[in-house]
Amino acid sequence: MDSLGLVQPLHKLSSTIFFSRQRRSPRLIPFSSSLKPPLPSKRLNLSKPSTLTFALAESGSPQPLETSSKSLLLQLSKCFDLPSDYFQQLPSDLRLDLNDAAFDLSNGPIIDECGQELGETLLNLSRAWEQADTSTSRSLVKKLPELESSLTDGAKSAFGRRLISAGRRFRGMGQYGQGELQKIAKAMITTGEVLSANTSPASVGNESKSNTRMFKFGELQVAVSPEKAYAGAAIAFVFGILSWQISQGIQSIPESSLQYANDNALVLAKSLRGTLLATFYASAVLSGFTTAGLLLLAKQLSSEKDSS
């Protein structure tokens, strides 16, 4: 009986502990599960900025270069919608700047760099600027947007550099009238920068090989290469030697060996002899300076060609 009495309290005590554990365990389940829901919400919030950044990157993509350069050339052509006598009314100093712009636009081997059609158009445009022909300039500039699509990368780059150089000449003219010259300068420089940016390594290599220096004497343009400079130096040296030999031959003839009909003939012969001596001596000296200058120019062009 005593053993049965002890077994029953122990059974009640174990059942109580078992039910108490079952009651406590459900309390732990909602507490641990309550920490899990915020995690997926943070992941969703982190995915939104990346999507927004990707959309902004796609919307900020640049436009094609051909479209922008053609539109800039159209704007440049509109800047030349000037009165027919606009260039003729420019002051003399601005006319000189206009001639400098024409030289910068067309100097060098323009046909080789820009192509046949564009090169001839730029040559005609430079002549129109030199003659202050506003109407012809307007009609020639309007052809440029049509020629842009058929140009190679090298031609676009050379065309752009010429526009930048000529545009700086227009910018140096300052304010005149209602600012038409500054509008032209800004349009030319902007268009030239866009065109010159489209440069491939092959075109740069071809341009560096044809390293020449352009000299302009009025309407005459002379492109000097290292080979031409060396040839010119050789010709100047030979001409100087001949001039020196002739002057020495004239001076070696004594005046007493010649017979003159009268005093007037004697005076005329002396003056002629002095003129010939001065001419040939001056030719010899100038030939020497020309030879030295062409040799230095040839070495400079050769060094620039080798460095490029």
Side-chain angles (χ1 to χ4, degrees), residues 111-123:
I111 302 296
D112 297 335
E113 294 180 358
C114 300
Q116 184 70 28
E117 191 172 3
L118 178 61
E120 291 179 354
T121 302
L122 295 179
L123 286 174

Side-chain angles (χ1 to χ4, degrees), residues 44 49 54 70 76 78 83-84 88 99 109 116 121 125 128 134 137 148 154 180 202 207 218 230 235 239 259 265 292:
L44 291 175
F54 182 74
K70 188 172 184 179
L76 177 61
K78 293 179 181 179
S84 58
Q88 293 180 355
N99 292 336
Q116 184 70 28
T121 302
L125 180 59
T134 310
S137 301
E148 186 269 343
E180 296 88 355
E207 290 168 4
Y230 282 121
I235 294 173
F239 185 77
Q259 296 180 357

Side-chain angles (χ1 to χ4, degrees), residues 29-144:
I29 293 174
F31 178 76
S32 61
S33 62
S34 63
L35 296 175
K36 294 180 179 180
L39 293 175
S41 63
K42 291 182 179 180
R43 292 177 181 177
L44 291 175
N45 292 333
L46 290 173
S47 63
K48 291 180 181 179
S50 62
T51 306
L52 180 60
T53 305
F54 182 74
L56 290 175
E58 287 183 346
S59 62
S61 59
Q63 295 180 354
L65 183 62
E66 290 79 3
T67 304
S68 59
S69 60
K70 188 172 184 179
S71 62
L72 290 174
L73 287 172
L74 289 173
Q75 294 178 6
L76 177 61
S77 63
K78 293 179 181 179
C79 294
F80 279 86
D81 289 336
L82 304 171
S84 58
D85 58 346
Y86 183 83
F87 287 153
Q88 293 180 355
Q89 293 180 355
L90 293 176
S92 58
D93 55 342
L94 297 184
R95 287 285 298 273
L96 293 176
D97 293 335
L98 185 62
N99 292 336
D100 293 338
F103 174 73
D104 291 342
L105 184 68
S106 61
N107 67 339
I110 186 171
I111 302 296
D112 297 335
E113 294 180 358
C114 300
Q116 184 70 28
E117 191 172 3
L118 178 61
E120 291 179 354
T121 302
L122 295 179
L123 286 174
N124 294 330
L125 180 59
S126 65
R127 294 190 188 99
W129 287 354
E130 291 176 352
Q131 298 173 1
D133 191 349
T134 310
S135 301
T136 305
S137 301
R138 185 191 309 115
S139 60
L140 290 172
V141 172
K142 287 183 178 180
K143 295 181 180 179
L144 298 179

Side-chain angles (χ1 to χ4, degrees), residues 103 108 212-217 219-225 228:
F103 174 73
T212 59
R213 190 73 58 85
M214 178 63 64
F215 295 94
K216 185 175 182 180
F217 306 95
E219 296 182 356
L220 178 63
Q221 295 182 2
V222 179
V224 180
S225 61
K228 293 181 180 179

Side-chain angles (χ1 to χ4, degrees), residues 14-31:
S14 62
S15 63
T16 303
I17 293 173
F18 176 77
F19 283 109
S20 64
R21 288 179 179 176
Q22 285 183 346
R23 290 176 184 175
R24 288 180 181 177
S25 59
R27 293 179 183 177
L28 295 174
I29 293 174
F31 178 76

